[in-house]
């Protein structure tokens, strides 16, 4: 399956993944420094949520593209639908 996403959608997903990448690097440093277990787990949970959000954004965008016929909705309607689908998936997580 090919990953075809609009530039703005792709930018959002990449930003989320970069944020998670930074969080994971921070977690590694925390572990190497012997930081408190509770702090490490809190950061792990935050990184996990960031990854989940990126995945759900990809899923929501793909689903929206599958359901919408090309040219049937304006850009604003497509973005609203994508946001609603993403919110729905996040509510299930």
């Amino acid at each position: 399956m090919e990953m075809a996403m609009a530039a703005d959608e792709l930018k959002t997903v990449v930003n989320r993944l970069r944020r998670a990448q930074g969080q994971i690097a921070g977690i590694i440093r925390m572990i190497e420094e012997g930081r408190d277990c509770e702090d490490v787990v809190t950061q792990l949970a935050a990184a996990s949520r960031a990854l989940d959000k990126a995945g759900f954004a990809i899923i929501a965008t793909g689903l929206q593209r599958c359901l919408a016929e090309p040219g049937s909705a304006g850009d604003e309607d497509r973005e609203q639908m994508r946001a609603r689908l993403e919110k729905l998936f996040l509510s299930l997580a």
Side-chain angles (χ1 to χ4, degrees), residues 9-53:
E9 296 163 344
L10 185 61
K11 182 179 178 182
T12 299
V13 170
V14 169
N15 285 342
R16 285 183 174 155
L17 291 172
R18 286 195 174 129
R19 191 174 314 125
Q21 183 179 34
Q23 288 172 318
I24 291 168
I27 293 165
I28 292 168
R29 279 191 305 275
M30 291 173 75
I31 292 169
E32 291 173 342
E33 294 169 358
R35 297 275 298 273
D36 182 66
C37 179
E38 187 175 342
D39 293 339
V40 172
V41 171
T42 298
Q43 290 305 310
L44 280 171
S48 178
R49 285 191 301 273
L51 290 171
D52 288 344
K53 285 183 178 184

